[in-house]
Amino acid sequence: MSGDAPQSPKTPQSPEAARSPEAARSPEAARSPEAAQDPQTPDGPPPATGPAQAQHHRDDWRTTFRPDIPSSARIYDYFLGGKDNYPADRQAAQQIASYLPNVREAARVNRAFVRRAVRYLVNEAGIRQLIDIGTGLRTIGNVHEVAMEADPAARVVYVDHDPVVLAHARNMLQGTPNAVIIGHDMRAPADILADRDLRRLVDFDEPLGILFVSMLHFLSDADDPAGVIGELLAPFPPGSHLALTHGTADDAPQVNDAARVYDAATTRMYVRSRAEVLELVRGLDLVEPGLVRTPEWHPEPGAYVPERPSDCYYYALMARKP
């Protein structure tokens, strides 16, 4: 998700379709992160560094299984302690951690925000349909699981365009009629809203909850993230909500250095200041307590809140369409 124009590549319908031709001939290589290493480099290849090479990578990973290219989804999976990551992802993650020593905790706190936000949307705002933009790889407490625990009638649409994420999610959601994943770039909201599977689950006459968790910092200013939010919310009635978290270098300038690691990954990162994040939701009403650090947004009773919430590197907010 760089500043290039949105693409609409065909996405794989199964894990087999997400593999490269070489991986298709060797199932173990596609299923095992440890096995998917460059045969000439035991620890796997380093991330690309040149602009031309990085651009090629950002074009290539959308349609071809490329474990040698660091993926933002798989880097995040590594920070959460997951196993769906590869040597290139781990190398990039370790480089990020060298700048941000609390990044693993920040990822866990960010994920905990997702659970609290979903419960708020269902239990407090009365919303029964959710769109999760950039769902990433499956983990404990997926959005549909939290939402359906609160209300079994809740409906969830996941949106992603990473071929590995799509394959994993389609497998996870088998036998779950009220949840689906669709393959689209978040910079193409019209395509998202026109998707047949989304329209099967979503009622445009009812309020909707949209989640942009750790996603909007992968959109440049040229991608117009505020416009993306506005276009997605436009067809839905007042009372619709938006929940987001966003990386920031406020109080932690080294976040800017960590963000540059993503220049060689599938998506570049554009961290923003407090004022810039608030500008993304202009025209919406902030839900109390407004824009805060992730652990400060509606903490659960007895929950651990770090002494320095700014060490979690994210802002969080919930906003309501008036």
Side-chain angles (χ1 to χ4, degrees):
M1 282 178 271
S2 68
D4 304 319
Q7 300 180 26
S8 300
K10 295 182 180 179
T11 51
Q13 301 301 311
S14 67
E16 288 72 22
R19 302 177 195 150
S20 66
E22 292 75 17
R25 290 193 292 270
S26 176
E28 291 74 20
R31 293 171 184 160
S32 169
E34 290 75 14
Q37 299 178 358
D38 190 308
Q40 297 179 352
T41 308
D43 292 331
T49 55
Q53 189 177 11
Q55 180 62 54
H56 167 72
H57 281 186
R58 282 189 291 275
D59 291 341
D60 183 55
W61 66 270
R62 299 169 184 267
T63 55
T64 304
F65 178 60
R66 293 293 304 272
D68 57 311
I69 303 171
S71 155
S72 57
R74 298 194 304 263
I75 291 170
Y76 191 62
D77 174 74
Y78 175 82
F79 288 144
L80 289 172
K83 299 183 182 300
D84 294 314
N85 50 76
Y86 296 85
D89 308 309
R90 294 191 283 274
Q91 181 176 344
Q94 289 158 10
Q95 187 177 354
I96 292 167
S98 72
Y99 296 116
L100 307 176
N102 294 322
V103 68
R104 284 181 177 271
E105 179 182 7
R108 290 191 294 268
V109 170
N110 191 60
R111 194 65 205 172
F113 166 83
V114 177
R115 295 189 287 271
R116 298 196 306 277
V118 171
R119 292 190 188 106
Y120 178 91
L121 289 168
V122 178
N123 293 330
E124 304 296 327
I127 287 174
R128 297 296 179 267
Q129 49 186 12
L130 304 170
I131 299 179
D132 182 14
I133 306 290
T135 178
L137 289 159
R138 58 188 174 184
T139 184
I140 297 173
N142 294 290
V143 169
H144 74 285
E145 295 168 335
V146 177
M148 292 176 191
E149 181 181 5
D151 185 341
R155 307 178 308 279
V156 175
V157 177
Y158 293 109
V159 181
D160 212 297
H161 67 168
D162 185 306
V164 176
V165 170
L166 291 167
H168 276 269
R170 285 170 178 148
N171 181 63
M172 174 183 68
L173 295 175
Q174 288 184 12
T176 308
N178 279 10
V180 68
I181 187 166
I182 59 177
H184 293 287
D185 190 311
M186 65 177 168
R187 295 171 302 172
D191 293 342
I192 294 172
L193 295 173
D195 188 280
R196 180 180 303 176
D197 284 332
L198 181 144
R199 288 180 169 268
R200 175 175 60 84
L201 290 182
V202 170
D203 185 341
F204 284 70
D205 293 326
E206 293 182 12
L208 176 86
I210 300 179
L211 292 93
F212 275 103
V213 177
S214 194
M215 286 305 299
L216 290 172
H217 50 231
F218 292 120
L219 293 183
S220 69
D221 290 344
D223 291 321
D224 188 16
V228 170
I229 292 171
E231 191 169 345
L232 284 172
L233 282 174
F236 295 97
S240 294
H241 282 63
L242 165 77
L244 69 81
T245 66
H246 197 297
T248 182
D250 289 356
D251 303 320
Q254 65 271 27
V255 170
N256 289 312
D257 298 316
R260 298 285 61 78
V261 176
Y262 288 91
D263 288 352
T266 55
T267 51
R268 291 177 175 171
M269 179 176 282
Y270 307 88
V271 297
R272 292 183 171 90
S273 68
R274 177 183 181 85
E276 289 170 329
V277 174
L278 286 172
E279 190 65 25
L280 299 181
V281 295
R282 179 189 289 270
L284 302 178
D285 296 333
L286 292 182
V287 172
E288 291 296 330
L291 180 66
V292 294
R293 301 290 182 160
T294 42
E296 298 175 313
W297 195 89
H298 287 245
E300 296 174 345
Y304 167 70
V305 177
E307 184 177 345
R308 284 175 47 88
S310 61
D311 287 346
C312 291
Y313 315 126
Y314 282 96
Y315 281 125
L317 65 78
M318 180 86 69
R320 181 183 184 275
K321 181 177 179 179

PDB file of all heavy atoms in Angstrom, residues 221-236:
ATOM      1  N   ASP A 221      -0.211  10.911   2.487  1.00  0.00           N
ATOM      2  CA  ASP A 221      -1.147  12.025   2.338  1.00  0.00           C
ATOM      3  C   ASP A 221      -1.759  12.041   0.940  1.00  0.00           C
ATOM      4  O   ASP A 221      -2.930  12.391   0.762  1.00  0.00           O
ATOM      5  CB  ASP A 221      -0.432  13.348   2.609  1.00  0.00           C
ATOM      6  CG  ASP A 221      -0.049  13.526   4.081  1.00  0.00           C
ATOM      7  OD1 ASP A 221      -0.592  12.792   4.928  1.00  0.00           O
ATOM      8  OD2 ASP A 221       0.802  14.392   4.358  1.00  0.00           O
ATOM      9  N   ALA A 222      -0.973  11.637  -0.052  1.00  0.00           N
ATOM     10  CA  ALA A 222      -1.478  11.594  -1.425  1.00  0.00           C
ATOM     11  C   ALA A 222      -2.595  10.569  -1.588  1.00  0.00           C
ATOM     12  O   ALA A 222      -3.444  10.707  -2.471  1.00  0.00           O
ATOM     13  CB  ALA A 222      -0.340  11.293  -2.394  1.00  0.00           C
ATOM     14  N   ASP A 223      -2.601   9.547  -0.732  1.00  0.00           N
ATOM     15  CA  ASP A 223      -3.667   8.538  -0.778  1.00  0.00           C
ATOM     16  C   ASP A 223      -4.958   9.041  -0.152  1.00  0.00           C
ATOM     17  O   ASP A 223      -5.994   8.380  -0.280  1.00  0.00           O
ATOM     18  CB  ASP A 223      -3.225   7.266  -0.042  1.00  0.00           C
ATOM     19  CG  ASP A 223      -2.122   6.520  -0.772  1.00  0.00           C
ATOM     20  OD1 ASP A 223      -2.179   6.460  -2.013  1.00  0.00           O
ATOM     21  OD2 ASP A 223      -1.202   5.995  -0.098  1.00  0.00           O
ATOM     22  N   ASP A 224      -4.892  10.187   0.539  1.00  0.00           N
ATOM     23  CA  ASP A 224      -6.061  10.846   1.127  1.00  0.00           C
ATOM     24  C   ASP A 224      -6.799   9.925   2.102  1.00  0.00           C
ATOM     25  O   ASP A 224      -7.946   9.528   1.870  1.00  0.00           O
ATOM     26  CB  ASP A 224      -7.017  11.303   0.025  1.00  0.00           C
ATOM     27  CG  ASP A 224      -8.150  12.174   0.568  1.00  0.00           C
ATOM     28  OD1 ASP A 224      -8.043  12.672   1.711  1.00  0.00           O
ATOM     29  OD2 ASP A 224      -9.161  12.347  -0.158  1.00  0.00           O
ATOM     30  N   PRO A 225      -6.161   9.585   3.231  1.00  0.00           N
ATOM     31  CA  PRO A 225      -6.831   8.703   4.193  1.00  0.00           C
ATOM     32  C   PRO A 225      -8.142   9.265   4.732  1.00  0.00           C
ATOM     33  O   PRO A 225      -9.096   8.499   4.950  1.00  0.00           O
ATOM     34  CB  PRO A 225      -5.791   8.523   5.303  1.00  0.00           C
ATOM     35  CG  PRO A 225      -4.816   9.645   5.125  1.00  0.00           C
ATOM     36  CD  PRO A 225      -4.796   9.954   3.672  1.00  0.00           C
ATOM     37  N   ALA A 226      -8.213  10.586   4.924  1.00  0.00           N
ATOM     38  CA  ALA A 226      -9.477  11.176   5.378  1.00  0.00           C
ATOM     39  C   ALA A 226     -10.572  10.962   4.339  1.00  0.00           C
ATOM     40  O   ALA A 226     -11.734  10.685   4.681  1.00  0.00           O
ATOM     41  CB  ALA A 226      -9.294  12.668   5.656  1.00  0.00           C
ATOM     42  N   GLY A 227     -10.212  11.075   3.061  1.00  0.00           N
ATOM     43  CA  GLY A 227     -11.181  10.829   2.002  1.00  0.00           C
ATOM     44  C   GLY A 227     -11.638   9.385   1.953  1.00  0.00           C
ATOM     45  O   GLY A 227     -12.813   9.094   1.679  1.00  0.00           O
ATOM     46  N   VAL A 228     -10.721   8.451   2.222  1.00  0.00           N
ATOM     47  CA  VAL A 228     -11.077   7.031   2.267  1.00  0.00           C
ATOM     48  C   VAL A 228     -12.099   6.785   3.373  1.00  0.00           C
ATOM     49  O   VAL A 228     -13.111   6.103   3.169  1.00  0.00           O
ATOM     50  CB  VAL A 228      -9.811   6.173   2.486  1.00  0.00           C
ATOM     51  CG1 VAL A 228     -10.189   4.721   2.790  1.00  0.00           C
ATOM     52  CG2 VAL A 228      -8.900   6.230   1.266  1.00  0.00           C
ATOM     53  N   ILE A 229     -11.840   7.353   4.562  1.00  0.00           N
ATOM     54  CA  ILE A 229     -12.787   7.206   5.669  1.00  0.00           C
ATOM     55  C   ILE A 229     -14.141   7.779   5.278  1.00  0.00           C
ATOM     56  O   ILE A 229     -15.188   7.151   5.472  1.00  0.00           O
ATOM     57  CB  ILE A 229     -12.249   7.922   6.927  1.00  0.00           C
ATOM     58  CG1 ILE A 229     -11.015   7.204   7.463  1.00  0.00           C
ATOM     59  CG2 ILE A 229     -13.325   8.003   8.005  1.00  0.00           C
ATOM     60  CD1 ILE A 229     -10.297   7.971   8.565  1.00  0.00           C
ATOM     61  N   GLY A 230     -14.138   8.986   4.728  1.00  0.00           N
ATOM     62  CA  GLY A 230     -15.387   9.640   4.369  1.00  0.00           C
ATOM     63  C   GLY A 230     -16.186   8.867   3.345  1.00  0.00           C
ATOM     64  O   GLY A 230     -17.420   8.757   3.461  1.00  0.00           O
ATOM     65  N   GLU A 231     -15.507   8.310   2.350  1.00  0.00           N
ATOM     66  CA  GLU A 231     -16.221   7.573   1.311  1.00  0.00           C
ATOM     67  C   GLU A 231     -16.813   6.276   1.845  1.00  0.00           C
ATOM     68  O   GLU A 231     -17.903   5.870   1.438  1.00  0.00           O
ATOM     69  CB  GLU A 231     -15.278   7.288   0.142  1.00  0.00           C
ATOM     70  CG  GLU A 231     -15.992   6.760  -1.103  1.00  0.00           C
ATOM     71  CD  GLU A 231     -15.106   6.718  -2.336  1.00  0.00           C
ATOM     72  OE1 GLU A 231     -14.029   7.352  -2.318  1.00  0.00           O
ATOM     73  OE2 GLU A 231     -15.498   6.042  -3.314  1.00  0.00           O
ATOM     74  N   LEU A 232     -16.100   5.631   2.770  1.00  0.00           N
ATOM     75  CA  LEU A 232     -16.629   4.397   3.337  1.00  0.00           C
ATOM     76  C   LEU A 232     -17.837   4.654   4.238  1.00  0.00           C
ATOM     77  O   LEU A 232     -18.787   3.861   4.263  1.00  0.00           O
ATOM     78  CB  LEU A 232     -15.537   3.675   4.131  1.00  0.00           C
ATOM     79  CG  LEU A 232     -14.478   2.939   3.312  1.00  0.00           C
ATOM     80  CD1 LEU A 232     -13.355   2.449   4.203  1.00  0.00           C
ATOM     81  CD2 LEU A 232     -15.092   1.763   2.545  1.00  0.00           C
ATOM     82  N   LEU A 233     -17.821   5.763   4.968  1.00  0.00           N
ATOM     83  CA  LEU A 233     -18.928   6.063   5.868  1.00  0.00           C
ATOM     84  C   LEU A 233     -20.117   6.713   5.159  1.00  0.00           C
ATOM     85  O   LEU A 233     -21.247   6.661   5.656  1.00  0.00           O
ATOM     86  CB  LEU A 233     -18.454   6.998   6.988  1.00  0.00           C
ATOM     87  CG  LEU A 233     -17.655   6.378   8.132  1.00  0.00           C
ATOM     88  CD1 LEU A 233     -17.146   7.462   9.068  1.00  0.00           C
ATOM     89  CD2 LEU A 233     -18.502   5.366   8.906  1.00  0.00           C
ATOM     90  N   ALA A 234     -19.882   7.307   4.000  1.00  0.00           N
ATOM     91  CA  ALA A 234     -20.905   8.118   3.326  1.00  0.00           C
ATOM     92  C   ALA A 234     -22.250   7.420   3.139  1.00  0.00           C
ATOM     93  O   ALA A 234     -23.304   8.027   3.388  1.00  0.00           O
ATOM     94  CB  ALA A 234     -20.368   8.617   1.990  1.00  0.00           C
ATOM     95  N   PRO A 235     -22.309   6.144   2.701  1.00  0.00           N
ATOM     96  CA  PRO A 235     -23.616   5.551   2.437  1.00  0.00           C
ATOM     97  C   PRO A 235     -24.367   5.100   3.685  1.00  0.00           C
ATOM     98  O   PRO A 235     -25.533   4.686   3.579  1.00  0.00           O
ATOM     99  CB  PRO A 235     -23.291   4.343   1.551  1.00  0.00           C
ATOM    100  CG  PRO A 235     -21.837   4.137   1.626  1.00  0.00           C
ATOM    101  CD  PRO A 235     -21.213   5.283   2.292  1.00  0.00           C
ATOM    102  N   PHE A 236     -23.750   5.213   4.851  1.00  0.00           N
ATOM    103  CA  PHE A 236     -24.361   4.677   6.067  1.00  0.00           C
ATOM    104  C   PHE A 236     -24.956   5.787   6.916  1.00  0.00           C
ATOM    105  O   PHE A 236     -24.501   6.940   6.870  1.00  0.00           O
ATOM    106  CB  PHE A 236     -23.328   3.866   6.856  1.00  0.00           C
ATOM    107  CG  PHE A 236     -22.866   2.640   6.120  1.00  0.00           C
ATOM    108  CD1 PHE A 236     -21.686   2.659   5.399  1.00  0.00           C
ATOM    109  CD2 PHE A 236     -23.637   1.490   6.115  1.00  0.00           C
ATOM    110  CE1 PHE A 236     -21.269   1.542   4.697  1.00  0.00           C
ATOM    111  CE2 PHE A 236     -23.230   0.367   5.414  1.00  0.00           C
ATOM    112  CZ  PHE A 236     -22.047   0.387   4.699  1.00  0.00           C
TER     113      PHE A 236
END
